[in-house]
Amino acid sequence: MEKGKGIMGSGRRWAVDFSDNSTAPSSRDIPDPPGFARASVDQDDSTVSRQKKDAESNWKAQKAWEVAQAPFKNLLMMGFMMWMAGNTVHLFSIGITFSALWQPISALQGVGKVFEPYKDNKVDLLGPKLLFIALNLGGLALGVWKLNTLGLLPIHASDWVSSLPPAQEVEYSGGGIPL
């Protein structure tokens, strides 16, 4: 025998011929059972794959909404921490305030990366992205409000011009029942 020529005589040494040359009845001769059609199997496979794709896109949409609502929890936590820090200027209140400002800014810079895993042709990400942006802008507004209550925002003209006298602090005191 020549090298490369196997039993079958073809160019492959270990090739096996699977063609059925026997006269015995095979599974191709047995009819399909009642109610079974080979075309329905192919249809079922396509419907199953379509259902899987729909389920995956529904899951992605649900997860995108969950990610979009996550800043709300952060907003509540930051509000509580700011309340606990008080209204006096000290290291803890300044740290909490700048943390409340930095977190929404960094989250707004990475909106595209946050929603990248949920990108799909069937999933509309506009609503979740807008909610995510709105909640982070709310967190930013909370941080700016805390800066204002601490007196760290330059909102008076004397904060910008040194020759002007500082604004008079108006302090109210109350309590008891007025008679």
Side-chain angles (χ1 to χ4, degrees), residues 87-169:
N87 288 334
T88 58
V89 179
H90 51 82
L91 187 60
F92 185 68
S93 63
I94 292 173
I96 293 294
T97 304
F98 281 106
S99 173
L101 291 170
W102 180 252
Q103 286 179 355
I105 289 172
S106 63
L108 288 172
Q109 288 175 345
V111 172
K113 291 179 185 175
V114 169
F115 288 98
E116 186 69 32
Y118 311 110
K119 193 179 260 187
D120 192 359
N121 292 337
K122 295 182 180 181
V123 178
D124 182 27
L125 293 178
L126 181 64
K129 283 183 180 181
L130 288 176
L131 179 64
F132 185 80
I133 291 170
L135 289 174
N136 279 305
L137 287 176
L140 194 61
L142 186 66
V144 170
W145 171 80
K146 184 64 175 178
L147 277 178
N148 187 35
T149 59
L150 291 175
L152 298 176
L153 277 184
I155 57 172
H156 194 267
S158 65
D159 294 332
W160 299 98
V161 181
S162 62
S163 62
L164 293 174
Q168 287 289 70
E169 287 291 325

Side-chain angles (χ1 to χ4, degrees), residues 44-128:
D44 288 343
D45 289 344
S46 66
T47 11
V48 167
S49 78
R50 189 177 332 111
Q51 287 174 349
K52 283 183 182 179
K53 288 179 182 178
D54 289 343
E56 182 181 353
S57 60
N58 288 338
W59 177 83
K60 285 182 178 182
Q62 181 183 6
K63 289 296 178 182
W65 279 106
E66 287 177 13
V67 167
Q69 294 171 359
F72 182 71
K73 297 172 188 170
N74 190 23
L75 194 66
L76 293 176
M77 181 190 66
M78 258 318 149
F80 178 72
M81 289 175 64
M82 285 183 195
W83 177 71
M84 291 297 291
N87 288 334
T88 58
V89 179
H90 51 82
L91 187 60
F92 185 68
S93 63
I94 292 173
I96 293 294
T97 304
F98 281 106
S99 173
L101 291 170
W102 180 252
Q103 286 179 355
I105 289 172
S106 63
L108 288 172
Q109 288 175 345
V111 172
K113 291 179 185 175
V114 169
F115 288 98
E116 186 69 32
Y118 311 110
K119 193 179 260 187
D120 192 359
N121 292 337
K122 295 182 180 181
V123 178
D124 182 27
L125 293 178
L126 181 64

